[in-house]
Coordinates of all heavy atoms in Angstrom, one line a residue:
I155 N 115.9 6.5 24.0 CA 116.9 5.9 23.2 C 117.6 7.0 22.3 O 116.9 7.8 21.7 CB 116.3 4.9 22.2 CG1 115.4 3.9 23.0 CG2 117.3 4.2 21.4 CD1 116.0 2.7 23.5
G156 N 118.9 7.0 22.2 CA 119.6 7.9 21.3 C 119.7 7.3 19.9 O 120.3 6.2 19.7
L176 N 109.8 0.7 17.1 CA 110.6 1.1 18.3 C 110.2 2.5 18.7 O 110.0 2.7 19.9 CB 112.1 1.0 17.9 CG 113.0 1.5 19.1 CD1 112.9 0.5 20.2 CD2 114.5 1.5 18.5
I193 N 127.2 8.1 24.1 CA 127.7 7.0 24.9 C 127.9 7.4 26.3 O 127.5 6.7 27.2 CB 129.1 6.5 24.3 CG1 128.9 5.9 22.9 CG2 129.7 5.5 25.3 CD1 130.2 5.7 22.1
V196 N 124.6 7.2 28.1 CA 124.1 5.9 28.4 C 124.8 5.4 29.7 O 124.2 4.9 30.6 CB 124.4 4.9 27.3 CG1 124.0 3.5 27.7 CG2 123.6 5.3 26.0
D202 N 119.0 5.3 27.8 CA 119.0 3.8 28.1 C 119.7 3.0 27.0 O 120.2 1.9 27.3 CB 117.5 3.4 28.3 CG 116.9 4.1 29.4 OD1 117.2 3.7 30.6 OD2 116.2 5.1 29.2
A203 N 119.8 3.6 25.9 CA 120.6 3.0 24.8 C 120.9 4.0 23.7 O 120.3 5.1 23.7 CB 119.7 1.9 24.1
Y204 N 121.9 3.7 22.9 CA 122.3 4.6 21.8 C 122.8 3.7 20.7 O 123.4 2.7 20.9 CB 123.4 5.5 22.2 CG 124.2 6.2 21.0 CD1 123.5 7.1 20.2 CD2 125.5 5.8 20.7 CE1 124.2 7.6 19.1 CE2 126.2 6.3 19.7 CZ 125.5 7.2 18.8 OH 126.2 7.8 17.8
M205 N 122.4 4.0 19.5 CA 122.8 3.1 18.3 C 123.2 4.0 17.1 O 122.8 5.2 17.0 CB 121.7 2.2 17.9 CG 120.5 2.9 17.3 SD 119.2 1.7 17.0 CE 118.5 1.6 18.6
S206 N 124.1 3.4 16.3 CA 124.5 4.2 15.1 C 124.8 3.2 14.0 O 125.2 2.0 14.3 CB 125.7 5.0 15.4 OG 126.2 5.7 14.3
M207 N 124.7 3.6 12.8 CA 125.0 2.7 11.7 C 126.4 2.6 11.3 O 126.9 1.7 10.6 CB 124.2 3.1 10.4 CG 122.7 3.0 10.5 SD 122.2 1.4 11.2 CE 121.3 1.9 12.6
L209 N 130.2 3.9 13.0 CA 131.1 4.7 13.8 C 132.5 4.2 13.6 O 132.8 3.0 13.3 CB 130.7 4.5 15.3 CG 129.4 5.3 15.7 CD1 129.1 5.1 17.2 CD2 129.4 6.7 15.3
I214 N 134.5 5.6 19.6 CA 133.9 4.7 20.6 C 135.0 4.0 21.5 O 134.6 3.4 22.5 CB 133.2 3.5 19.9 CG1 134.0 2.8 18.9 CG2 131.9 4.1 19.2 CD1 133.3 1.7 18.1
M218 N 134.0 2.7 25.2 CA 133.9 1.2 25.4 C 134.6 0.9 26.8 O 134.1 0.0 27.5 CB 134.5 0.5 24.3 CG 133.6 0.4 23.1 SD 134.3 -0.3 21.6 CE 134.8 -1.9 22.2
A221 N 132.2 2.1 29.4 CA 130.9 1.4 29.4 C 131.0 0.1 30.2 O 130.1 -0.3 30.9 CB 130.5 1.1 28.0
A226 N 127.3 -1.6 31.0 CA 126.6 -1.4 29.7 C 127.1 -2.4 28.7 O 128.3 -2.8 28.7 CB 126.9 0.0 29.2
V227 N 126.2 -2.9 27.8 CA 126.6 -3.8 26.8 C 126.9 -3.1 25.5 O 126.1 -2.3 25.0 CB 125.5 -4.9 26.5 CG1 126.0 -5.9 25.5 CG2 125.2 -5.6 27.9
V228 N 128.0 -3.4 24.9 CA 128.4 -2.8 23.6 C 128.7 -3.9 22.6 O 129.5 -4.8 22.8 CB 129.7 -1.9 23.8 CG1 130.2 -1.4 22.4 CG2 129.5 -0.8 24.7
T229 N 128.0 -3.8 21.4 CA 128.3 -4.7 20.3 C 128.0 -3.9 19.0 O 127.6 -2.8 19.0 CB 127.3 -5.9 20.3 OG1 126.0 -5.4 20.1 CG2 127.4 -6.7 21.6
N230 N 128.2 -4.6 17.9 CA 127.7 -4.1 16.7 C 126.2 -4.5 16.5 O 125.7 -5.2 17.4 CB 128.6 -4.4 15.4 CG 128.5 -5.9 15.1 OD1 127.6 -6.6 15.5 ND2 129.5 -6.4 14.3
L231 N 125.6 -4.1 15.5 CA 124.1 -4.4 15.4 C 123.9 -5.8 14.9 O 122.7 -6.2 14.8 CB 123.5 -3.3 14.5 CG 123.4 -1.9 15.0 CD1 122.8 -0.9 14.0 CD2 122.7 -1.8 16.3
S232 N 124.9 -6.6 14.7 CA 124.7 -8.0 14.5 C 125.1 -8.8 15.7 O 125.3 -10.0 15.7 CB 125.7 -8.5 13.3 OG 125.4 -7.7 12.2
N233 N 125.1 -8.1 16.9 CA 125.4 -8.7 18.2 C 126.8 -9.3 18.2 O 127.0 -10.3 18.9 CB 124.3 -9.7 18.6 CG 124.3 -9.9 20.1 OD1 124.8 -9.1 20.8 ND2 123.7 -11.0 20.5
E234 N 127.8 -8.7 17.5 CA 129.2 -9.2 17.5 C 130.0 -8.2 18.2 O 129.7 -7.0 18.3 CB 129.7 -9.4 16.1 CG 128.9 -10.4 15.3 CD 129.1 -10.3 13.8 OE1 129.6 -9.2 13.4 OE2 128.8 -11.2 13.0
I236 N 132.9 -5.5 18.8 CA 133.4 -4.4 18.0 C 134.9 -4.7 17.6 O 135.7 -5.1 18.4 CB 133.3 -3.1 18.8 CG1 131.9 -2.8 19.2 CG2 134.0 -2.0 18.1 CD1 131.0 -2.3 18.1
N242 N 132.3 0.3 12.3 CA 131.3 -0.7 12.8 C 129.9 -0.1 12.9 O 129.8 1.1 13.1 CB 131.6 -1.1 14.2 CG 132.9 -1.9 14.4 OD1 132.9 -3.1 14.3 ND2 134.0 -1.2 14.6
T243 N 128.9 -0.9 12.8 CA 127.6 -0.5 13.3 C 127.8 -0.6 14.8 O 128.7 -1.2 15.3 CB 126.4 -1.4 12.8 OG1 126.7 -2.8 13.3 CG2 126.3 -1.4 11.3
F244 N 126.8 0.0 15.6 CA 127.2 0.2 17.0 C 125.9 0.3 17.8 O 124.9 0.9 17.4 CB 128.0 1.5 17.2 CG 128.4 1.7 18.6 CD1 129.5 1.1 19.1 CD2 127.6 2.6 19.4 CE1 129.9 1.4 20.4 CE2 128.0 2.8 20.7 CZ 129.2 2.2 21.2
I245 N 125.9 -0.4 19.0 CA 124.8 -0.2 20.0 C 125.4 -0.3 21.3 O 126.3 -1.2 21.6 CB 123.6 -1.2 19.8 CG1 122.6 -0.9 20.8 CG2 124.1 -2.7 19.8 CD1 121.2 -1.6 20.6
I246 N 125.0 0.6 22.2 CA 125.4 0.5 23.6 C 124.0 0.6 24.4 O 123.2 1.4 24.0 CB 126.3 1.6 24.1 CG1 126.5 1.5 25.6 CG2 125.9 3.0 23.7 CD1 127.6 2.4 26.2
A247 N 123.8 -0.3 25.3 CA 122.5 -0.4 26.0 C 122.7 -1.1 27.4 O 123.6 -1.8 27.6 CB 121.5 -1.1 25.2
K248 N 121.7 -0.8 28.2 CA 121.6 -1.6 29.4 C 121.4 -3.1 29.0 O 120.7 -3.4 28.0 CB 120.4 -1.1 30.2 CG 120.6 0.3 30.8 CD 119.4 0.8 31.4 CE 119.7 2.1 32.2 NZ 118.5 2.7 32.7
L251 N 117.8 -4.6 27.9 CA 117.3 -3.8 26.8 C 118.1 -4.1 25.5 O 117.6 -4.1 24.4 CB 117.5 -2.3 27.2 CG 116.9 -1.3 26.3 CD1 115.4 -1.5 26.1 CD2 117.2 0.1 26.8
H252 N 119.4 -4.3 25.7 CA 120.3 -4.6 24.5 C 119.7 -5.8 23.7 O 119.6 -5.7 22.5 CB 121.7 -4.8 25.0 CG 122.7 -5.2 23.9 ND1 122.9 -6.5 23.5 CD2 123.5 -4.5 23.2 CE1 123.8 -6.5 22.5 NE2 124.2 -5.3 22.3
K253 N 119.4 -6.8 24.4 CA 118.9 -8.0 23.8 C 117.5 -7.8 23.2 O 117.3 -8.2 22.0 CB 118.8 -9.2 24.8 CG 118.3 -10.5 24.2 CD 118.6 -11.6 25.2 CE 118.0 -13.0 24.8 NZ 117.5 -13.2 23.5
E254 N 116.7 -7.1 23.9 CA 115.3 -6.8 23.4 C 115.4 -6.0 22.1 O 114.7 -6.2 21.2 CB 114.6 -6.0 24.5 CG 113.1 -6.2 24.4 CD 112.4 -5.6 25.6 OE1 113.1 -5.3 26.6 OE2 111.2 -5.5 25.6
L255 N 116.3 -5.0 22.1 CA 116.4 -4.1 20.9 C 116.8 -4.9 19.7 O 116.3 -4.8 18.6 CB 117.3 -3.0 21.2 CG 116.8 -1.9 22.1 CD1 118.0 -0.9 22.5 CD2 115.7 -1.1 21.5
L256 N 117.8 -5.8 19.9 CA 118.4 -6.5 18.8 C 117.4 -7.6 18.4 O 117.3 -7.9 17.2 CB 119.7 -7.1 19.1 CG 120.9 -6.1 19.2 CD1 122.2 -6.8 19.5 CD2 121.0 -5.3 17.9
I260 N 115.6 -4.2 15.8 CA 116.7 -3.7 14.8 C 117.0 -4.9 13.8 O 117.4 -6.0 14.2 CB 118.0 -3.4 15.6 CG1 117.7 -2.2 16.5 CG2 119.1 -3.0 14.6 CD1 118.7 -1.9 17.5

Side-chain angles (χ1 to χ4, degrees):
I155 311 273
L176 180 62
I193 293 168
V196 177
D202 299 282
Y204 162 70
M205 68 186 81
S206 176
M207 292 314 122
L209 290 181
I214 55 181
M218 282 172 61
V227 183
V228 173
T229 64
N230 68 18
L231 292 176
S232 306
N233 202 18
E234 298 160 345
I236 297 287
N242 294 267
T243 59
F244 182 83
I245 179 167
I246 174 170
K248 292 174 172 175
L251 187 60
H252 177 272
K253 182 168 174 9
E254 203 170 352
L255 289 169
L256 288 183
I260 298 168

